[in-house]
Amino acid sequence: MAVTDPALVTLVVGEEELLAERAVREVVAAARQAEAGAEVHDLVGSKVTPGELAQLAAPSLFGDRSVVVIRSAQDLGKDVIAEVVAYAKQPSEDIVLVVVHPGGVKGKALVEGLKKARVGVVTIGKVTKPGERLDFIKTEIKRAGRSIQADAAQALLDAVGNDLRELAAACSQLAFDTQEKSINLAAVARYHKGRAEVTGFNVADSAVEGKLGEALEQLRWALGTGVAPVLLVSAMAGGLRSLAKVGGAPRNLRGGQLASHLGMPPWKVDRVRRQLNGWGPEGLSRALQAVAVADEQVKGGGADPGYALERAVQTIVASRTGR
C-alpha cells in the first residue's frame, strides 16, 4: 500500500503476522501524514466492549482525526461485530478504522459484513512455498535499495530458516553492513558461517529452557564463529514471541487446528508448549524488554554487543517463574 490518504475503514486479512503489522503501520502512517497529530487507539478484539467503538468515533471538540486499530478481530463478540459492520456503512470522517483479521472461519461474519460495506481491503497471502520465501528475501533487499543474487538468496534462506521475521532481520542486517550494490554469496557466508554448528535458535532454545551455562557457552561459540549479533538477538526475540503466541492461544484448539491458528508447524508448537513450563506473563514481559534493550545495543547503542547479549541471556533465564 502506498502512503496516501487512507480509506476511512480498512480490513487487513491474512495469517502472516509480520506482513499484517506492516499493512497496519502503512495505514497509520498515511493517517498521520494527512494529520500529524492523529491519536492512535490500539485495541485487542477480545477486550473491545459494546459501545466502545461508538465512544471513540464520537466527534472531537477540537476536530482532530484519530486512528482506531482493532487487532485479533476474530475474537470480537457478536454485539461488537454488529456495531463494527454498522459503523463501516456510515463511518465518521474524523476516524480511520483498521480491522485486523487472520482469516478463517472464526469471525467470518465480520469479514463478510465489512466487504459488503465496501471498505478498503488488504489481503495478506500466506507465504508457504520456498519460492515465495525467496521472493520475500528479494523484496526485502529491494526495499533497502539493493539487490541479491539468486544463490545468495538461497543460502540466506537455508541459513536463517522460514520465519519471516528472522528473514527480514537478516536482510536488514545484510543491507546495512555490506557495500556491494548486489549482495552475493560471499557476503551471506561472512554473516552466517558457523550457523550449522551453533545457531541463534540453539542459543534461544537453551535460554528459554533455563539452561544458563549452556546458553552462554553456545552464545560465545556463535559469536566466535562469526554469527552476527543482530541475528542472535532476533532468534531470542523470536523464541520469546513463540512462547507468547502459544501461551495466549485459545485453550480449545488442539493439534493441527492449533498449529494452523498459530501459523506454526505442529512440531514447533509441541516444542514451544514444552518450553512454556516455568513461564508466566510477567517473566515473559521482562525477558522481551531485555531483548529489546539488547537489540538497541547491538545496533550501535552500546559499546560491547557480546556483553549486551550475555546480559539478555541472563535476564531471560532469570525471568522464568518456575525456577
Side-chain angles (χ1 to χ4, degrees):
M1 292 175 58
V3 180
T4 57
D5 196 24
L8 293 177
V9 182
T10 299
L11 170 66
V12 178
V13 187
E15 293 182 55
E16 290 293 357
E17 194 175 86
L18 172 66
L19 302 182
E21 285 180 9
R22 287 181 175 177
V24 172
R25 285 202 300 267
E26 288 179 358
V27 175
V28 173
R32 283 182 163 166
Q33 186 180 63
E35 186 167 330
E39 183 178 3
V40 179
H41 304 275
D42 212 320
L43 311 178
V44 178
S46 60
K47 297 183 179 180
V48 179
T49 57
E52 188 170 0
L53 176 60
Q55 183 177 0
L56 291 172
S60 167
L61 292 175
F62 304 100
D64 296 331
R65 170 178 275 193
S66 61
V67 183
V68 178
V69 180
I70 302 178
R71 303 181 189 273
S72 300
Q74 74 277 10
D75 296 327
L76 290 172
K78 290 184 178 179
D79 292 344
V80 180
I81 287 176
E83 288 182 12
V84 173
V85 172
Y87 172 84
K89 294 175 181 177
Q90 292 184 308
S92 167
E93 293 288 336
D94 297 325
I95 302 293
V96 172
L97 173 64
V98 188
V99 181
V100 188
H101 191 288
V105 176
K106 188 176 182 183
K108 187 177 180 181
L110 173 66
V111 173
E112 292 177 345
L114 290 177
K115 287 182 176 179
K116 287 180 181 177
R118 299 186 180 279
V119 305
V121 179
V122 179
T123 302
I124 307 295
K126 182 70 174 172
V127 179
T128 57
K129 299 176 182 178
E132 293 171 340
R133 295 189 181 95
L134 288 172
D135 288 341
F136 174 80
I137 290 172
K138 293 172 184 175
T139 300
E140 287 296 292
I141 296 295
K142 187 176 181 181
R143 281 162 61 98
R146 311 286 288 286
S147 63
I148 185 168
Q149 296 175 12
D151 57 351
Q154 184 63 60
L156 185 62
L157 179 60
D158 293 341
V160 177
N162 296 333
D163 185 89
L164 292 192
R165 290 184 186 276
E166 299 289 340
L167 288 172
C171 289
S172 175
Q173 187 66 24
L174 276 172
F176 181 79
D177 284 339
T178 57
Q179 301 300 319
E180 301 88 351
K181 177 68 176 176
S182 178
I183 297 171
N184 57 27
L185 184 59
V188 174
R190 283 200 303 272
Y191 285 91
H192 296 277
K193 66 181 180 179
R195 285 181 66 86
E197 290 79 21
V198 176
T199 71
F201 302 112
N202 297 138
V203 178
D205 286 342
S206 295
V208 300
E209 290 166 11
K211 301 172 183 175
L212 179 60
E214 184 177 308
L216 289 175
E217 181 181 355
Q218 291 173 335
L219 172 63
R220 290 161 189 158
W221 177 258
L223 289 171
T225 54
V227 179
V230 69
L231 297 177
L232 292 162
V233 172
S234 181
M236 286 189 273
L240 292 169
R241 283 196 299 267
S242 293
L243 290 178
K245 286 178 68 175
V246 174
R251 301 300 179 190
N252 62 324
L253 298 181
R254 295 288 186 274
Q257 198 175 25
L258 176 60
S260 177
H261 175 79
L262 295 172
M264 294 181 182
W267 63 265
K268 185 173 182 179
V269 174
D270 291 340
R271 188 186 70 192
V272 174
R273 290 178 75 174
R274 290 193 296 271
Q275 291 175 334
L276 268 171
N277 185 37
W279 280 99
E282 292 183 1
L284 190 55
S285 176
R286 285 195 300 272
L288 284 166
Q289 289 173 14
V291 171
V293 170
D295 182 65
E296 189 270 336
Q297 290 179 336
V298 303
K299 291 178 178 176
D304 188 343
Y307 175 75
L309 288 165
E310 288 192 6
R311 289 278 296 174
V313 167
Q314 291 167 348
T315 303
I316 291 171
V317 174
S319 297
R320 297 179 74 247
T321 57
R323 292 180 71 248

